[in-house]
Amino acid sequence: MLQITNLSKNYGDFKAVNNISLEVEPGTIFAFLGTNGAGKTTTIRMMTGTLQPTSGTVYIGGYDIRKNPIEAKFLMGVIPDRPYIYGKLTGYEFLKFMSDLYQVPHKESNIRIGELLEHYGLTNWQNDLVDGYSHGMKQRLLMCASQVHRPKLLVVDEPMVGLDPKGARLLKDTFRAKAKEGMTIFMSTHSLSVAEEVADKLAIIKSGSIVAHGSLEDLYSQSREGTSGLENVFLDIIAEGKDEEASSSIQFPQEAGE
Ligand code: ATP
């Protein structure tokens, strides 16, 4: 569903993303982890077509995001790290605007919007201006907006920020249910407990390079003896000067044949 090959982004001499390759199969929940400034958002922006890579390719469902951006974007729902919502629209109007952008037929879009508002608990607020929504309500409205066109790939930069426990639970359950239906979910997150709970595959990016990649079991079994929990594994891998150590024990995408 998602194939990233030798993707790089340089700012002058600085390599924000350094030759990364990843492949994500359909129906997978994929967690993209890394410390602040590691290159997660830069990667996501290149994946979703809002930032030109210095080199490398990104294929979404077989479409090159640079050569066939429209086809690729129709397959994708995106929630960026700093989303913009038109506050002077009501929740319903915003979702209608988004479904028009994705050319969802009128009748279908009304049914779809109704379903999404219900699922994310916003039905009673659909006619209120978004300006009046709480942060968590805006997050849930963005989840609705990202799915009006039934995307096959959902890309979410930090999905849990600002959600209360009920909202976080709803999102995790939704991710699991959608993945079962075949949707692929790519999320960048600092919430290691969330990644541990829902992710099928994970990658850790450090200073622009992928330093670990695989299933939770791969990461656990390949970490130092006695290390337990994703948080400890993550800290072990990203610890200063541990790249070489990590590289000998962690599964790399190229080595895994992915
Ligand atoms: P965070 O978890 O803090 O959001 P991140 O992993 O998403 O971090 P990025 O936003 O991808 O990190 O940034 C990667 C690096 O690229 C950072 O060092 C950042 O300062 C740098 N960077 C990003 N955009 C630019 C730019 N336009 N010009 C120069 N450097 C940039």
Side-chain angles (χ1 to χ4, degrees), residues 9-12 14-17 32-45 51 81-82 157-158 188-190 205 208:
K9 181 69 189 179
N10 300 346
Y11 292 107
F14 177 67
K15 294 179 190 301
V17 171
F32 196 41
L33 313 176
T35 49
N36 291 129
K40 301 179 296 298
T41 297
T42 306
T43 302
I44 285 180
R45 290 183 63 208
L51 182 70
D81 62 333
R82 270 170 268 163
D157 205 346
E158 279 298 347
S188 131
T189 185
H190 289 298
I205 184 168

Side-chain angles (χ1 to χ4, degrees), residues 206-207 209 211 236-248 252:
K206 178 186 174 187
S207 305
S209 299
V211 292
D236 194 28
I237 290 168
I238 55 104
E240 200 67 42
K242 292 290 193 297
D243 277 0
E244 288 73 21
E245 216 167 298
S247 70
S248 64
F252 280 79

Side-chain angles (χ1 to χ4, degrees), residues 85 91 94-95 117 120-145 161-164 167:
I85 316 185
F94 178 66
L95 294 181
L117 287 166
Y120 287 100
L122 291 172
T123 306
N124 292 341
W125 288 274
Q126 64 178 305
N127 296 317
D128 293 358
L129 290 184
V130 173
D131 264 347
Y133 282 24
S134 69
H135 182 81
M137 287 166 73
K138 285 181 185 163
Q139 284 286 91
R140 284 183 275 140
L141 186 67
L142 287 163
M143 284 304 296
C144 296
V161 172
L163 289 181
D164 62 18

Side-chain angles (χ1 to χ4, degrees), residues 219-228 232-233 235-237 239-242 245-246 249-250:
L219 268 60
Y220 286 154
S221 65
Q222 292 157 17
S223 64
R224 293 179 200 194
E225 209 181 317
T227 308
S228 66
N232 291 329
V233 171
L235 291 172
D236 194 28
I237 290 168
E240 200 67 42
K242 292 290 193 297
E245 216 167 298
S249 59
I250 299 296

Side-chain angles (χ1 to χ4, degrees), residues 150-200:
R150 300 183 190 277
K152 297 205 179 321
L153 170 66
L154 191 63
V155 180
V156 198
D157 205 346
E158 279 298 347
M160 301 299 164
V161 172
L163 289 181
D164 62 18
K166 198 175 155 203
R169 167 59 54 207
L170 174 68
L171 202 61
K172 286 184 276 188
D173 290 348
T174 304
F175 282 178
R176 282 201 199 93
K178 289 287 160 196
K180 261 195 186 144
E181 290 171 15
M183 187 191 264
T184 310
I185 294 154
F186 185 102
M187 63 171 176
S188 131
T189 185
H190 289 298
S191 311
L192 298 180
S193 61
V194 172
E196 191 161 24
E197 208 179 323
V198 300
D200 304 306

